[in-house]
Amino acid sequence: MRALKEELDTLARKSPETLRFCGKVLRSERYGGSAVLMVVDAAITSVGVNYFSVVVPRVLQFKEKFVDSGEISTLEDLVRADESRLYSVWRNRRSWSVAKGVAEELLEHGDGVEALRRWASKAELESWREWLKVSGAGINTFQYLRMMGGVDTVMPDRIVRRFVERHVSAPKNQVEFVRFAEDIARDHGYMAVELCWLSWLSSYDDERIRKYSALLEKI
């Protein structure tokens, strides 16, 4: 357990930007507080591509082409968007199906970032399938959206699990792992969301940690 604390502390020293970024995540202030961009980010992430080299550039391209121009400024706009135009940014049908499906579910709680925060405040981990009935979106997408909606939690993906299991035996069940990781983070003086993002950075060497930490300040 001490080794886990030491690794978290080392990563936090290497990337104080990540700790500041995690505060922005929980305040739902990513991408200038755009729920549309947070949903697009989660949808592209859901297909398992590299986050920093693939997801972020595509989201920023989407922002420039559709959000900054005013073409897509609301979740309702995203649901109604012509999918063939979205392919100009990212040619993946599953991603856009997830994006539109998530946006449609969030619209039941309003529109914009407040809809995301209302949904996240109500969505329960143990019954996550009832809260995200979107084909192609699993528990990792559910957890990612909850984090961006203000809930201090983690994604039970393979990187986070590998990071935790280097130091301690963890439950195999995904829901149980989330609760376990939340407790582990807080026991070591970190927010759960900080453990999650520091885990992802732990996969990279120091040069990339510096590069990607700087990128976090832009999103």
Side-chain angles (χ1 to χ4, degrees):
M1 297 290 277
R2 174 187 286 184
L4 175 60
K5 167 69 171 170
E6 289 175 351
E7 187 167 6
L8 286 169
D9 289 347
T10 297
L11 289 165
R13 284 194 299 271
K14 289 180 179 179
S15 180
E17 299 91 343
T18 298
L19 302 188
R20 293 195 294 270
F21 172 78
C22 287
K24 186 162 64 173
V25 171
L26 293 182
R27 294 191 299 272
S28 305
E29 293 176 353
R30 294 192 63 192
Y31 299 109
S34 169
V36 168
L37 293 177
M38 286 185 261
V39 167
V40 170
D41 181 310
I44 299 178
T45 300
S46 73
V47 298
V49 292
N50 183 276
Y51 186 75
F52 291 103
S53 64
V54 178
V55 178
V56 173
R58 295 302 191 283
V59 176
L60 293 178
Q61 187 179 351
F62 180 95
K63 175 181 182 295
E64 181 179 1
K65 184 165 187 175
F66 296 111
V67 175
D68 292 348
S69 68
E71 183 175 344
I72 300 177
S73 58
T74 66
L75 294 171
E76 186 170 356
D77 291 338
L78 180 58
V79 170
R80 296 179 177 180
D82 182 345
E83 195 166 306
S84 64
R85 283 186 47 72
L86 302 179
Y87 282 171
S88 64
V89 169
W90 176 241
R91 186 171 289 277
N92 186 290
R93 177 173 295 178
R94 175 181 163 182
S95 290
W96 296 121
S97 175
V98 169
K100 287 171 172 282
V102 169
E104 195 163 11
E105 289 211 1
L106 293 182
L107 282 170
E108 296 179 10
H109 304 270
D111 203 334
V113 74
E114 288 307 315
L116 174 61
R117 292 185 68 83
R118 289 190 196 100
W119 172 86
S121 69
K122 297 176 182 178
E124 298 176 348
L125 173 62
E126 285 73 15
S127 56
W128 69 269
R129 289 183 179 85
E130 298 301 313
W131 291 95
L132 191 63
K133 298 178 182 178
V134 176
S135 178
I139 190 171
N140 286 317
T141 302
F142 172 79
Q143 285 293 95
Y144 192 26
L145 289 166
R146 288 180 79 220
M147 284 193 288
M148 291 191 286
V151 178
D152 183 24
T153 189
V154 303
M155 287 168 62
D157 67 17
R158 59 183 176 82
I159 297 174
V160 177
R161 179 177 288 277
R162 186 169 63 233
F163 179 85
V164 171
E165 290 182 341
R166 280 207 300 267
H167 305 288
V168 61
S169 178
K172 299 302 180 186
N173 177 273
Q174 288 180 310
V175 171
E176 291 177 5
F177 175 82
V178 168
R179 295 303 189 200
F180 178 81
E182 290 173 346
D183 290 341
I184 286 288
R186 290 158 192 158
D187 287 347
H188 288 77
Y190 286 87
M191 294 189 297
V193 68
E194 291 172 338
L195 181 146
C196 193
W197 280 90
L198 290 172
S199 295
W200 292 334
L201 280 182
S202 72
S203 300
Y204 302 108
D205 58 28
D206 287 358
E207 181 179 351
R208 288 193 178 183
I209 287 176
R210 287 192 294 271
K211 176 182 177 181
Y212 295 151
S213 295
L215 184 58
L216 289 179
E217 298 196 307
K218 299 179 181 179
I219 60 172

PDB file of all heavy atoms in Angstrom, residues 100-133:
ATOM      1  N   LYS A 100     -24.625  10.456 -30.177  1.00  0.00           N
ATOM      2  CA  LYS A 100     -26.022  10.836 -30.343  1.00  0.00           C
ATOM      3  C   LYS A 100     -26.905  10.179 -29.283  1.00  0.00           C
ATOM      4  O   LYS A 100     -27.833  10.801 -28.746  1.00  0.00           O
ATOM      5  CB  LYS A 100     -26.505  10.458 -31.747  1.00  0.00           C
ATOM      6  CG  LYS A 100     -25.956  11.365 -32.857  1.00  0.00           C
ATOM      7  CD  LYS A 100     -26.305  10.787 -34.224  1.00  0.00           C
ATOM      8  CE  LYS A 100     -25.955  11.746 -35.342  1.00  0.00           C
ATOM      9  NZ  LYS A 100     -26.949  12.835 -35.469  1.00  0.00           N
ATOM     10  N   GLY A 101     -26.609   8.906 -28.965  1.00  0.00           N
ATOM     11  CA  GLY A 101     -27.393   8.212 -27.953  1.00  0.00           C
ATOM     12  C   GLY A 101     -27.236   8.822 -26.577  1.00  0.00           C
ATOM     13  O   GLY A 101     -28.220   9.000 -25.837  1.00  0.00           O
ATOM     14  N   VAL A 102     -26.002   9.149 -26.201  1.00  0.00           N
ATOM     15  CA  VAL A 102     -25.764   9.797 -24.912  1.00  0.00           C
ATOM     16  C   VAL A 102     -26.442  11.156 -24.864  1.00  0.00           C
ATOM     17  O   VAL A 102     -27.112  11.505 -23.880  1.00  0.00           O
ATOM     18  CB  VAL A 102     -24.252   9.941 -24.643  1.00  0.00           C
ATOM     19  CG1 VAL A 102     -24.009  10.842 -23.437  1.00  0.00           C
ATOM     20  CG2 VAL A 102     -23.612   8.572 -24.417  1.00  0.00           C
ATOM     21  N   ALA A 103     -26.285  11.937 -25.925  1.00  0.00           N
ATOM     22  CA  ALA A 103     -26.906  13.262 -25.957  1.00  0.00           C
ATOM     23  C   ALA A 103     -28.415  13.162 -25.797  1.00  0.00           C
ATOM     24  O   ALA A 103     -29.040  13.959 -25.081  1.00  0.00           O
ATOM     25  CB  ALA A 103     -26.554  13.967 -27.271  1.00  0.00           C
ATOM     26  N   GLU A 104     -29.007  12.169 -26.448  1.00  0.00           N
ATOM     27  CA  GLU A 104     -30.459  11.985 -26.359  1.00  0.00           C
ATOM     28  C   GLU A 104     -30.885  11.650 -24.934  1.00  0.00           C
ATOM     29  O   GLU A 104     -31.899  12.149 -24.438  1.00  0.00           O
ATOM     30  CB  GLU A 104     -30.897  10.890 -27.326  1.00  0.00           C
ATOM     31  CG  GLU A 104     -32.384  10.863 -27.574  1.00  0.00           C
ATOM     32  CD  GLU A 104     -32.752  10.065 -28.814  1.00  0.00           C
ATOM     33  OE1 GLU A 104     -31.896   9.373 -29.372  1.00  0.00           O
ATOM     34  OE2 GLU A 104     -33.930  10.137 -29.212  1.00  0.00           O
ATOM     35  N   GLU A 105     -30.110  10.800 -24.252  1.00  0.00           N
ATOM     36  CA  GLU A 105     -30.450  10.467 -22.867  1.00  0.00           C
ATOM     37  C   GLU A 105     -30.295  11.682 -21.954  1.00  0.00           C
ATOM     38  O   GLU A 105     -31.120  11.915 -21.070  1.00  0.00           O
ATOM     39  CB  GLU A 105     -29.572   9.308 -22.380  1.00  0.00           C
ATOM     40  CG  GLU A 105     -29.933   7.977 -23.015  1.00  0.00           C
ATOM     41  CD  GLU A 105     -29.677   6.793 -22.112  1.00  0.00           C
ATOM     42  OE1 GLU A 105     -29.229   6.987 -20.963  1.00  0.00           O
ATOM     43  OE2 GLU A 105     -29.933   5.655 -22.555  1.00  0.00           O
ATOM     44  N   LEU A 106     -29.240  12.458 -22.172  1.00  0.00           N
ATOM     45  CA  LEU A 106     -29.029  13.636 -21.327  1.00  0.00           C
ATOM     46  C   LEU A 106     -30.122  14.676 -21.531  1.00  0.00           C
ATOM     47  O   LEU A 106     -30.461  15.416 -20.598  1.00  0.00           O
ATOM     48  CB  LEU A 106     -27.659  14.267 -21.624  1.00  0.00           C
ATOM     49  CG  LEU A 106     -26.430  13.429 -21.247  1.00  0.00           C
ATOM     50  CD1 LEU A 106     -25.154  14.214 -21.563  1.00  0.00           C
ATOM     51  CD2 LEU A 106     -26.456  13.018 -19.782  1.00  0.00           C
ATOM     52  N   LEU A 107     -30.690  14.729 -22.726  1.00  0.00           N
ATOM     53  CA  LEU A 107     -31.753  15.704 -23.006  1.00  0.00           C
ATOM     54  C   LEU A 107     -32.987  15.481 -22.136  1.00  0.00           C
ATOM     55  O   LEU A 107     -33.806  16.385 -21.980  1.00  0.00           O
ATOM     56  CB  LEU A 107     -32.140  15.658 -24.488  1.00  0.00           C
ATOM     57  CG  LEU A 107     -31.172  16.366 -25.442  1.00  0.00           C
ATOM     58  CD1 LEU A 107     -31.515  16.042 -26.886  1.00  0.00           C
ATOM     59  CD2 LEU A 107     -31.198  17.876 -25.218  1.00  0.00           C
ATOM     60  N   GLU A 108     -33.102  14.293 -21.551  1.00  0.00           N
ATOM     61  CA  GLU A 108     -34.214  14.047 -20.630  1.00  0.00           C
ATOM     62  C   GLU A 108     -34.046  14.850 -19.339  1.00  0.00           C
ATOM     63  O   GLU A 108     -34.980  14.974 -18.554  1.00  0.00           O
ATOM     64  CB  GLU A 108     -34.300  12.554 -20.306  1.00  0.00           C
ATOM     65  CG  GLU A 108     -34.629  11.684 -21.505  1.00  0.00           C
ATOM     66  CD  GLU A 108     -34.692  10.213 -21.142  1.00  0.00           C
ATOM     67  OE1 GLU A 108     -34.659   9.899 -19.931  1.00  0.00           O
ATOM     68  OE2 GLU A 108     -34.772   9.381 -22.069  1.00  0.00           O
ATOM     69  N   HIS A 109     -32.851  15.408 -19.154  1.00  0.00           N
ATOM     70  CA  HIS A 109     -32.551  16.183 -17.945  1.00  0.00           C
ATOM     71  C   HIS A 109     -32.290  17.655 -18.259  1.00  0.00           C
ATOM     72  O   HIS A 109     -31.797  18.402 -17.424  1.00  0.00           O
ATOM     73  CB  HIS A 109     -31.332  15.583 -17.237  1.00  0.00           C
ATOM     74  CG  HIS A 109     -31.493  14.134 -16.898  1.00  0.00           C
ATOM     75  ND1 HIS A 109     -32.033  13.707 -15.703  1.00  0.00           N
ATOM     76  CD2 HIS A 109     -31.235  13.011 -17.626  1.00  0.00           C
ATOM     77  CE1 HIS A 109     -32.079  12.387 -15.694  1.00  0.00           C
ATOM     78  NE2 HIS A 109     -31.604  11.940 -16.837  1.00  0.00           N
ATOM     79  N   GLY A 110     -32.632  18.075 -19.470  1.00  0.00           N
ATOM     80  CA  GLY A 110     -32.395  19.451 -19.893  1.00  0.00           C
ATOM     81  C   GLY A 110     -31.421  19.466 -21.055  1.00  0.00           C
ATOM     82  O   GLY A 110     -31.337  18.514 -21.822  1.00  0.00           O
ATOM     83  N   ASP A 111     -30.666  20.547 -21.189  1.00  0.00           N
ATOM     84  CA  ASP A 111     -29.658  20.634 -22.237  1.00  0.00           C
ATOM     85  C   ASP A 111     -28.425  21.314 -21.652  1.00  0.00           C
ATOM     86  O   ASP A 111     -28.503  22.000 -20.628  1.00  0.00           O
ATOM     87  CB  ASP A 111     -30.168  21.412 -23.453  1.00  0.00           C
ATOM     88  CG  ASP A 111     -29.421  21.070 -24.734  1.00  0.00           C
ATOM     89  OD1 ASP A 111     -28.249  20.638 -24.641  1.00  0.00           O
ATOM     90  OD2 ASP A 111     -29.988  21.233 -25.829  1.00  0.00           O
ATOM     91  N   GLY A 112     -27.296  21.101 -22.299  1.00  0.00           N
ATOM     92  CA  GLY A 112     -26.074  21.730 -21.829  1.00  0.00           C
ATOM     93  C   GLY A 112     -25.469  21.043 -20.621  1.00  0.00           C
ATOM     94  O   GLY A 112     -25.863  19.933 -20.236  1.00  0.00           O
ATOM     95  N   VAL A 113     -24.504  21.720 -20.014  1.00  0.00           N
ATOM     96  CA  VAL A 113     -23.730  21.110 -18.933  1.00  0.00           C
ATOM     97  C   VAL A 113     -24.590  20.804 -17.704  1.00  0.00           C
ATOM     98  O   VAL A 113     -24.329  19.847 -16.972  1.00  0.00           O
ATOM     99  CB  VAL A 113     -22.523  22.006 -18.567  1.00  0.00           C
ATOM    100  CG1 VAL A 113     -22.961  23.242 -17.795  1.00  0.00           C
ATOM    101  CG2 VAL A 113     -21.491  21.226 -17.782  1.00  0.00           C
ATOM    102  N   GLU A 114     -25.639  21.583 -17.484  1.00  0.00           N
ATOM    103  CA  GLU A 114     -26.506  21.308 -16.330  1.00  0.00           C
ATOM    104  C   GLU A 114     -27.248  19.994 -16.504  1.00  0.00           C
ATOM    105  O   GLU A 114     -27.526  19.299 -15.520  1.00  0.00           O
ATOM    106  CB  GLU A 114     -27.492  22.458 -16.118  1.00  0.00           C
ATOM    107  CG  GLU A 114     -26.835  23.714 -15.567  1.00  0.00           C
ATOM    108  CD  GLU A 114     -26.028  23.442 -14.300  1.00  0.00           C
ATOM    109  OE1 GLU A 114     -26.546  22.714 -13.417  1.00  0.00           O
ATOM    110  OE2 GLU A 114     -24.890  23.922 -14.196  1.00  0.00           O
ATOM    111  N   ALA A 115     -27.557  19.632 -17.741  1.00  0.00           N
ATOM    112  CA  ALA A 115     -28.191  18.328 -17.986  1.00  0.00           C
ATOM    113  C   ALA A 115     -27.227  17.200 -17.630  1.00  0.00           C
ATOM    114  O   ALA A 115     -27.613  16.206 -17.008  1.00  0.00           O
ATOM    115  CB  ALA A 115     -28.615  18.224 -19.450  1.00  0.00           C
ATOM    116  N   LEU A 116     -25.963  17.357 -18.019  1.00  0.00           N
ATOM    117  CA  LEU A 116     -24.959  16.359 -17.677  1.00  0.00           C
ATOM    118  C   LEU A 116     -24.808  16.230 -16.169  1.00  0.00           C
ATOM    119  O   LEU A 116     -24.746  15.118 -15.626  1.00  0.00           O
ATOM    120  CB  LEU A 116     -23.612  16.746 -18.308  1.00  0.00           C
ATOM    121  CG  LEU A 116     -22.394  15.886 -17.926  1.00  0.00           C
ATOM    122  CD1 LEU A 116     -22.600  14.435 -18.339  1.00  0.00           C
ATOM    123  CD2 LEU A 116     -21.125  16.457 -18.564  1.00  0.00           C
ATOM    124  N   ARG A 117     -24.778  17.354 -15.465  1.00  0.00           N
ATOM    125  CA  ARG A 117     -24.605  17.318 -14.015  1.00  0.00           C
ATOM    126  C   ARG A 117     -25.840  16.745 -13.311  1.00  0.00           C
ATOM    127  O   ARG A 117     -25.705  16.016 -12.326  1.00  0.00           O
ATOM    128  CB  ARG A 117     -24.272  18.719 -13.496  1.00  0.00           C
ATOM    129  CG  ARG A 117     -22.893  19.197 -13.946  1.00  0.00           C
ATOM    130  CD  ARG A 117     -22.519  20.527 -13.330  1.00  0.00           C
ATOM    131  NE  ARG A 117     -22.295  20.426 -11.891  1.00  0.00           N
ATOM    132  CZ  ARG A 117     -21.146  20.038 -11.339  1.00  0.00           C
ATOM    133  NH1 ARG A 117     -20.114  19.691 -12.086  1.00  0.00           N
ATOM    134  NH2 ARG A 117     -21.023  19.993 -10.021  1.00  0.00           N
ATOM    135  N   ARG A 118     -27.031  17.050 -13.814  1.00  0.00           N
ATOM    136  CA  ARG A 118     -28.243  16.474 -13.215  1.00  0.00           C
ATOM    137  C   ARG A 118     -28.252  14.959 -13.403  1.00  0.00           C
ATOM    138  O   ARG A 118     -28.579  14.208 -12.478  1.00  0.00           O
ATOM    139  CB  ARG A 118     -29.494  17.083 -13.852  1.00  0.00           C
ATOM    140  CG  ARG A 118     -29.757  18.531 -13.479  1.00  0.00           C
ATOM    141  CD  ARG A 118     -31.131  18.985 -13.954  1.00  0.00           C
ATOM    142  NE  ARG A 118     -31.242  20.433 -13.937  1.00  0.00           N
ATOM    143  CZ  ARG A 118     -31.122  21.223 -14.999  1.00  0.00           C
ATOM    144  NH1 ARG A 118     -30.937  20.668 -16.208  1.00  0.00           N
ATOM    145  NH2 ARG A 118     -31.213  22.519 -14.894  1.00  0.00           N
ATOM    146  N   TRP A 119     -27.924  14.531 -14.625  1.00  0.00           N
ATOM    147  CA  TRP A 119     -27.878  13.089 -14.894  1.00  0.00           C
ATOM    148  C   TRP A 119     -26.852  12.408 -13.990  1.00  0.00           C
ATOM    149  O   TRP A 119     -27.139  11.381 -13.370  1.00  0.00           O
ATOM    150  CB  TRP A 119     -27.533  12.857 -16.368  1.00  0.00           C
ATOM    151  CG  TRP A 119     -27.278  11.421 -16.711  1.00  0.00           C
ATOM    152  CD1 TRP A 119     -28.198  10.475 -17.046  1.00  0.00           C
ATOM    153  CD2 TRP A 119     -25.997  10.759 -16.723  1.00  0.00           C
ATOM    154  NE1 TRP A 119     -27.583   9.266 -17.282  1.00  0.00           N
ATOM    155  CE2 TRP A 119     -26.232   9.415 -17.088  1.00  0.00           C
ATOM    156  CE3 TRP A 119     -24.690  11.180 -16.481  1.00  0.00           C
ATOM    157  CZ2 TRP A 119     -25.195   8.487 -17.202  1.00  0.00           C
ATOM    158  CZ3 TRP A 119     -23.659  10.265 -16.590  1.00  0.00           C
ATOM    159  CH2 TRP A 119     -23.911   8.926 -16.948  1.00  0.00           C
ATOM    160  N   ALA A 120     -25.645  12.972 -13.910  1.00  0.00           N
ATOM    161  CA  ALA A 120     -24.573  12.361 -13.124  1.00  0.00           C
ATOM    162  C   ALA A 120     -24.919  12.282 -11.642  1.00  0.00           C
ATOM    163  O   ALA A 120     -24.557  11.318 -10.959  1.00  0.00           O
ATOM    164  CB  ALA A 120     -23.276  13.143 -13.323  1.00  0.00           C
ATOM    165  N   SER A 121     -25.621  13.280 -11.149  1.00  0.00           N
ATOM    166  CA  SER A 121     -25.962  13.301  -9.721  1.00  0.00           C
ATOM    167  C   SER A 121     -26.985  12.222  -9.366  1.00  0.00           C
ATOM    168  O   SER A 121     -27.083  11.813  -8.206  1.00  0.00           O
ATOM    169  CB  SER A 121     -26.508  14.677  -9.319  1.00  0.00           C
ATOM    170  OG  SER A 121     -27.787  14.915  -9.888  1.00  0.00           O
ATOM    171  N   LYS A 122     -27.748  11.767 -10.361  1.00  0.00           N
ATOM    172  CA  LYS A 122     -28.780  10.768 -10.126  1.00  0.00           C
ATOM    173  C   LYS A 122     -28.340   9.363 -10.525  1.00  0.00           C
ATOM    174  O   LYS A 122     -28.807   8.378  -9.937  1.00  0.00           O
ATOM    175  CB  LYS A 122     -30.045  11.130 -10.920  1.00  0.00           C
ATOM    176  CG  LYS A 122     -30.686  12.447 -10.504  1.00  0.00           C
ATOM    177  CD  LYS A 122     -31.862  12.767 -11.413  1.00  0.00           C
ATOM    178  CE  LYS A 122     -32.500  14.103 -11.056  1.00  0.00           C
ATOM    179  NZ  LYS A 122     -33.614  14.446 -11.971  1.00  0.00           N
ATOM    180  N   ALA A 123     -27.464   9.264 -11.528  1.00  0.00           N
ATOM    181  CA  ALA A 123     -27.072   7.962 -12.079  1.00  0.00           C
ATOM    182  C   ALA A 123     -26.336   7.127 -11.034  1.00  0.00           C
ATOM    183  O   ALA A 123     -25.353   7.577 -10.449  1.00  0.00           O
ATOM    184  CB  ALA A 123     -26.200   8.159 -13.315  1.00  0.00           C
ATOM    185  N   GLU A 124     -26.807   5.924 -10.798  1.00  0.00           N
ATOM    186  CA  GLU A 124     -26.248   5.058  -9.769  1.00  0.00           C
ATOM    187  C   GLU A 124     -25.358   3.984 -10.383  1.00  0.00           C
ATOM    188  O   GLU A 124     -25.741   3.317 -11.342  1.00  0.00           O
ATOM    189  CB  GLU A 124     -27.377   4.409  -8.969  1.00  0.00           C
ATOM    190  CG  GLU A 124     -28.255   5.428  -8.234  1.00  0.00           C
ATOM    191  CD  GLU A 124     -29.429   4.784  -7.529  1.00  0.00           C
ATOM    192  OE1 GLU A 124     -29.685   3.584  -7.797  1.00  0.00           O
ATOM    193  OE2 GLU A 124     -30.072   5.458  -6.720  1.00  0.00           O
ATOM    194  N   LEU A 125     -24.176   3.827  -9.812  1.00  0.00           N
ATOM    195  CA  LEU A 125     -23.196   2.874 -10.332  1.00  0.00           C
ATOM    196  C   LEU A 125     -23.757   1.455 -10.383  1.00  0.00           C
ATOM    197  O   LEU A 125     -23.608   0.747 -11.386  1.00  0.00           O
ATOM    198  CB  LEU A 125     -21.935   2.919  -9.465  1.00  0.00           C
ATOM    199  CG  LEU A 125     -20.861   1.868  -9.754  1.00  0.00           C
ATOM    200  CD1 LEU A 125     -20.325   2.017 -11.172  1.00  0.00           C
ATOM    201  CD2 LEU A 125     -19.738   1.965  -8.734  1.00  0.00           C
ATOM    202  N   GLU A 126     -24.388   1.023  -9.290  1.00  0.00           N
ATOM    203  CA  GLU A 126     -24.852  -0.362  -9.211  1.00  0.00           C
ATOM    204  C   GLU A 126     -25.909  -0.701 -10.269  1.00  0.00           C
ATOM    205  O   GLU A 126     -26.053  -1.864 -10.645  1.00  0.00           O
ATOM    206  CB  GLU A 126     -25.396  -0.646  -7.807  1.00  0.00           C
ATOM    207  CG  GLU A 126     -24.328  -0.812  -6.746  1.00  0.00           C
ATOM    208  CD  GLU A 126     -23.644   0.492  -6.340  1.00  0.00           C
ATOM    209  OE1 GLU A 126     -24.178   1.580  -6.667  1.00  0.00           O
ATOM    210  OE2 GLU A 126     -22.583   0.428  -5.691  1.00  0.00           O
ATOM    211  N   SER A 127     -26.626   0.308 -10.742  1.00  0.00           N
ATOM    212  CA  SER A 127     -27.638   0.069 -11.777  1.00  0.00           C
ATOM    213  C   SER A 127     -27.287   0.844 -13.047  1.00  0.00           C
ATOM    214  O   SER A 127     -28.162   1.376 -13.722  1.00  0.00           O
ATOM    215  CB  SER A 127     -29.026   0.480 -11.271  1.00  0.00           C
ATOM    216  OG  SER A 127     -29.036   1.833 -10.844  1.00  0.00           O
ATOM    217  N   TRP A 128     -26.009   0.878 -13.385  1.00  0.00           N
ATOM    218  CA  TRP A 128     -25.534   1.753 -14.457  1.00  0.00           C
ATOM    219  C   TRP A 128     -26.194   1.449 -15.803  1.00  0.00           C
ATOM    220  O   TRP A 128     -26.420   2.351 -16.611  1.00  0.00           O
ATOM    221  CB  TRP A 128     -24.018   1.674 -14.572  1.00  0.00           C
ATOM    222  CG  TRP A 128     -23.455   0.380 -15.084  1.00  0.00           C
ATOM    223  CD1 TRP A 128     -23.064  -0.697 -14.357  1.00  0.00           C
ATOM    224  CD2 TRP A 128     -23.228   0.042 -16.457  1.00  0.00           C
ATOM    225  NE1 TRP A 128     -22.609  -1.699 -15.174  1.00  0.00           N
ATOM    226  CE2 TRP A 128     -22.687  -1.270 -16.480  1.00  0.00           C
ATOM    227  CE3 TRP A 128     -23.420   0.703 -17.666  1.00  0.00           C
ATOM    228  CZ2 TRP A 128     -22.344  -1.920 -17.666  1.00  0.00           C
ATOM    229  CZ3 TRP A 128     -23.078   0.062 -18.851  1.00  0.00           C
ATOM    230  CH2 TRP A 128     -22.546  -1.230 -18.841  1.00  0.00           C
ATOM    231  N   ARG A 129     -26.534   0.190 -16.036  1.00  0.00           N
ATOM    232  CA  ARG A 129     -27.155  -0.151 -17.329  1.00  0.00           C
ATOM    233  C   ARG A 129     -28.525   0.499 -17.491  1.00  0.00           C
ATOM    234  O   ARG A 129     -28.976   0.722 -18.621  1.00  0.00           O
ATOM    235  CB  ARG A 129     -27.294  -1.672 -17.459  1.00  0.00           C
ATOM    236  CG  ARG A 129     -25.970  -2.397 -17.657  1.00  0.00           C
ATOM    237  CD  ARG A 129     -26.184  -3.883 -17.844  1.00  0.00           C
ATOM    238  NE  ARG A 129     -24.937  -4.609 -18.049  1.00  0.00           N
ATOM    239  CZ  ARG A 129     -24.155  -5.047 -17.078  1.00  0.00           C
ATOM    240  NH1 ARG A 129     -24.508  -4.836 -15.813  1.00  0.00           N
ATOM    241  NH2 ARG A 129     -23.037  -5.696 -17.337  1.00  0.00           N
ATOM    242  N   GLU A 130     -29.169   0.809 -16.390  1.00  0.00           N
ATOM    243  CA  GLU A 130     -30.467   1.497 -16.461  1.00  0.00           C
ATOM    244  C   GLU A 130     -30.298   2.980 -16.752  1.00  0.00           C
ATOM    245  O   GLU A 130     -31.246   3.641 -17.180  1.00  0.00           O
ATOM    246  CB  GLU A 130     -31.216   1.316 -15.135  1.00  0.00           C
ATOM    247  CG  GLU A 130     -31.544  -0.129 -14.792  1.00  0.00           C
ATOM    248  CD  GLU A 130     -32.412  -0.772 -15.866  1.00  0.00           C
ATOM    249  OE1 GLU A 130     -33.398  -0.138 -16.284  1.00  0.00           O
ATOM    250  OE2 GLU A 130     -32.090  -1.903 -16.286  1.00  0.00           O
ATOM    251  N   TRP A 131     -29.107   3.497 -16.512  1.00  0.00           N
ATOM    252  CA  TRP A 131     -28.854   4.930 -16.687  1.00  0.00           C
ATOM    253  C   TRP A 131     -28.157   5.273 -17.991  1.00  0.00           C
ATOM    254  O   TRP A 131     -28.063   6.440 -18.359  1.00  0.00           O
ATOM    255  CB  TRP A 131     -28.035   5.451 -15.507  1.00  0.00           C
ATOM    256  CG  TRP A 131     -28.811   5.473 -14.240  1.00  0.00           C
ATOM    257  CD1 TRP A 131     -28.851   4.516 -13.268  1.00  0.00           C
ATOM    258  CD2 TRP A 131     -29.705   6.498 -13.810  1.00  0.00           C
ATOM    259  NE1 TRP A 131     -29.704   4.879 -12.257  1.00  0.00           N
ATOM    260  CE2 TRP A 131     -30.245   6.106 -12.566  1.00  0.00           C
ATOM    261  CE3 TRP A 131     -30.098   7.728 -14.347  1.00  0.00           C
ATOM    262  CZ2 TRP A 131     -31.157   6.882 -11.861  1.00  0.00           C
ATOM    263  CZ3 TRP A 131     -31.006   8.513 -13.650  1.00  0.00           C
ATOM    264  CH2 TRP A 131     -31.521   8.079 -12.422  1.00  0.00           C
ATOM    265  N   LEU A 132     -27.636   4.263 -18.671  1.00  0.00           N
ATOM    266  CA  LEU A 132     -26.977   4.511 -19.952  1.00  0.00           C
ATOM    267  C   LEU A 132     -27.345   3.397 -20.926  1.00  0.00           C
ATOM    268  O   LEU A 132     -26.593   2.465 -21.158  1.00  0.00           O
ATOM    269  CB  LEU A 132     -25.455   4.577 -19.777  1.00  0.00           C
ATOM    270  CG  LEU A 132     -24.673   5.098 -20.997  1.00  0.00           C
ATOM    271  CD1 LEU A 132     -25.059   6.535 -21.315  1.00  0.00           C
ATOM    272  CD2 LEU A 132     -23.176   4.989 -20.767  1.00  0.00           C
ATOM    273  N   LYS A 133     -28.536   3.509 -21.480  1.00  0.00           N
ATOM    274  CA  LYS A 133     -29.054   2.498 -22.405  1.00  0.00           C
ATOM    275  C   LYS A 133     -28.684   2.865 -23.828  1.00  0.00           C
ATOM    276  O   LYS A 133     -29.535   3.134 -24.682  1.00  0.00           O
ATOM    277  CB  LYS A 133     -30.572   2.385 -22.252  1.00  0.00           C
ATOM    278  CG  LYS A 133     -31.019   1.929 -20.871  1.00  0.00           C
ATOM    279  CD  LYS A 133     -32.537   1.898 -20.771  1.00  0.00           C
ATOM    280  CE  LYS A 133     -32.988   1.480 -19.387  1.00  0.00           C
ATOM    281  NZ  LYS A 133     -34.473   1.486 -19.250  1.00  0.00           N
TER     282      LYS A 133
END
